[in-house]
Structures are given as structure tokens and as C-alpha cells.
Amino acid sequence: MTTYYGLYGQKVQYLASDPSDPQIGQVWYNSTSATLKVRELATVNAWAAGGNLNTARIYLAGCGTQTAALGFGGTVSPTATEEYNGTAWTNNPTGLNTGRTDFQGCGTQTAGLGVGGYLGPGVSNATEEYDGSTWTNGGNLNTARYNAAVFGIQTAAIAAGGGGATPVIGTRLTSTESYNGTSWTTTPANLNTARRAFSGIGIQTAGLAFGGSANPGNSNATESWNGSSWTSVNSLNTDRAAFGASGIQTSAIAFGGGTPGPSTAATELWNGTSWTSNPTGLATARLALGSANGATPSSTALAFGGSVSGPVALANTEEWTGIAAQTKTVTVT
């Protein structure tokens, strides 16, 4: 008869209580409850409430991860910066040098990047770099733009599309620029679909851009970036613009945004090939929200701020858990 010891080379632990820090794959017998248990990864795919922003705002930028995020700019307080530790937001005393809305960020909480934006009126070409405490001006974009898709890290980023300043403000762009930590270079590669108010995730050599405001209406188009060119791939299930996103080229999540109708709570997951609609969406449908779009798989994400509709800003934060560790009781006979 095949035994656990024969398969894995160790005996099942016999314990009076569950271990305080069990490892994935660990098996033990709890003598108090007379149960056999295993630590495993389980699919959760759900949103839960997090700590509120100190300043409710719309059209803000974000970067980082679920437990170390940055939210900055936006209407109401266009220079303000807040840091999230996985539980609560803290105001940073040093704000952006150029107050703006309708833009995106990338990088980490201690090495972030804020790119372009809307000045009201006017379109910005400014780039700012965050070192964990202060913002410093970086190299300017070659083409001023707002609501562009921005992804990568502080020293190796991509900015694509967005709303331009000419011939009129809001002109949808296809151009792509690459940042080396000092200056932007316009690449010869253009997006296949001109758009603004869309999202980008990934790294400088392997990214994904999706959704947005195209012409006419909102778009569900998804394009993959290989470091030198854009390729159209399978589309989102829901057309949307001004939404949140996080992930990498092979594992991403899109949530919220404006649809042809009202704002949406819909959440979709990307597996590297196609998008799947998740049965459970955000608790609060919203558009023009911020998100921690760090280059990590879609097992975690963060949504904050935004608006249900109109100019009324939200402060609430939601945390996404895709996969989490759990202790499971094994039924035996």
C-alpha cells in the first residue's frame, strides 16, 4: 500500500494544536480535534474593504502594491500624496511639483513615477519621480498627454496613447514613448487603437494595454507589448474607460470604470490569452479611480477613490485577493 512517508519521505506531524505558521503543502494531524489538515493555496477572487483615503478624490494616479501603495494627484487635491501600508493611508507632507489630474503612475511606493496629466486647462508633459518621501522632476515627455497607459518601473517605463494637446485637447494618440530613468524616447511603434483613459500593466519589455475611450465610444481592445511593437490580442468582455488595473502580461486584472451606461463594478481576469468575467465585482461601482498597478501577478490588487458618477469623490479603498493560503481539513476513512 502506498504511504505518505513513501511518497514524500517524511512522517505526518502529530500535534496538539495547529502550527502558528504552516507552510504550503505542510500536512499534520491535530490530536485535539482528531483531524488531518493540510496547508494549501485556494482561489478566493473577491474584494474586501480596506482603509479610506484621507482625501476623497477623482482622476488620481497610483502605483505600488496592495500592501505598499501610492496615491497622488487628482481633483480636489491635485498635488497631494498618500501612502498605503495594507491597512491605512498616511498623508505625505511633500506633494507633487505639478498639480494635475487624469494621469497614471508606475513603479513602487519608494521608487514611483507620475507621467503626464491634465492641468485644467492644458496638457502636461511633466514626469516626476518619487523616492519614498519627496517628488523630483524627471525628463519631460516628448508629447504632452493625459490619461495615457503607463507601466514599468521608475528607470524603465512605457507611456502609450492618451489624450494629446493638438490639434485639439483630447485628441486620441497612438504614439509610444520609452523612459530610461532620465529621458523619454519616442519609439517607432504605435498602438493599433488610438485611445485615452485606458490602462497599462507589466514591464518595459512585456506589457499589456486595454480598454479606454476610443472613437467612437469606449473600447474593449487589448494589445500586447513585446518591447518593440504592439499586437492586438483577445478583447475585454466589457467596454470600459477610466478604470483600475494591476498585474503582469500573463496575469492581470481590470476593474471598475465607465461603460456605455453607468459606472461599473465589473472585474475581469486575464490569463495571458483571454479575459474572464469574475462573478463578484467591486463593492462600489466607480470610475476615475486609482489603482496599485505594480508589476505583480493578479493575485492581489488595490482600488481607491474615484466616483460613482459626476463630481462626487469617493475615499473608500477595496483590496482584491485572488489566491490565498488556507488550512483545509482532510476527510479520511
Side-chain angles (χ1 to χ4, degrees), residues 241-281:
F243 59 98
S246 184
I248 57 177
Q249 192 183 64
T250 56
S251 177
I253 180 172
F255 43 91
T259 65
S263 57
T264 183
T267 297
E268 297 189 41
L269 301 173
W270 171 260
N271 62 7
T273 302
S274 60
W275 291 97
T276 302
S277 295
N278 190 66
T280 304

Side-chain angles (χ1 to χ4, degrees), residues 47-53 84 89 286 302-305 314-319:
W47 292 96
N52 285 353
L53 287 161
Y84 192 65
W89 291 94
R286 61 182 96 183
L302 195 70
F304 46 94
L314 300 171
N316 63 312
T317 296
E318 296 188 46
E319 301 175 351

Side-chain angles (χ1 to χ4, degrees), residues 23-292:
Q23 304 303 302
I24 302 300
Q26 183 176 347
V27 179
W28 68 94
Y29 182 79
N30 185 313
S31 61
T32 302
S33 61
T35 53
L36 181 67
K37 297 187 176 184
V38 61
R39 190 69 169 174
E40 65 177 10
L41 288 174
T43 300
V44 179
N45 286 358
W47 292 96
N52 285 353
L53 287 161
N54 293 289
T55 302
R57 54 182 110 175
I58 313 170
Y59 294 111
L60 70 164
C63 66
T65 64
Q66 188 185 86
T67 56
L70 204 62
F72 46 99
T75 58
V76 181
S77 188
T79 62
T81 300
E82 297 189 37
E83 296 180 348
Y84 192 65
N85 63 4
T87 304
W89 291 94
T90 302
N91 287 320
N92 186 280
T94 305
L96 289 159
N97 295 295
T98 301
R100 47 202 147 138
T101 68
D102 300 84
F103 68 125
Q104 286 192 16
C106 67
T108 67
Q109 190 184 68
T110 56
L113 203 66
V115 181
Y118 187 69
L119 300 172
V123 180
S124 176
N125 65 356
T127 299
E128 295 192 43
E129 301 174 355
Y130 188 71
D131 64 2
S133 61
T134 58
W135 289 97
T136 303
N137 291 325
N140 288 343
L141 288 159
N142 293 290
T143 301
R145 61 185 82 205
Y146 69 99
N147 279 338
V150 177
F151 56 90
I153 59 176
Q154 190 182 78
T155 56
I158 293 292
T166 58
V168 295
I169 290 178
T171 298
R172 293 166 180 83
L173 304 173
T174 60
S175 61
T176 301
E177 299 189 39
S178 176
Y179 193 63
N180 62 6
T182 303
S183 60
W184 290 95
T185 301
T186 301
T187 75
N190 288 335
L191 287 161
N192 295 292
T193 301
R195 47 192 149 156
R196 54 183 167 83
F198 65 127
S199 289
I201 53 90
I203 59 176
Q204 192 180 55
T205 56
L208 204 68
F210 39 97
S213 171
N215 190 13
N218 290 339
S219 173
N220 63 357
T222 301
E223 299 186 40
S224 178
W225 170 255
N226 64 6
S228 60
S229 62
W230 291 99
T231 302
S232 295
V233 292
N234 287 320
S235 299
L236 287 159
N237 294 290
T238 301
D239 298 357
R240 63 181 85 202
F243 59 98
S246 184
I248 57 177
Q249 192 183 64
T250 56
S251 177
I253 180 172
F255 43 91
T259 65
S263 57
T264 183
T267 297
E268 297 189 41
L269 301 173
W270 171 260
N271 62 7
T273 302
S274 60
W275 291 97
T276 302
S277 295
N278 190 66
T280 304
L282 290 161
T284 302
R286 61 182 96 183
L287 53 80
L289 65 157
S291 58

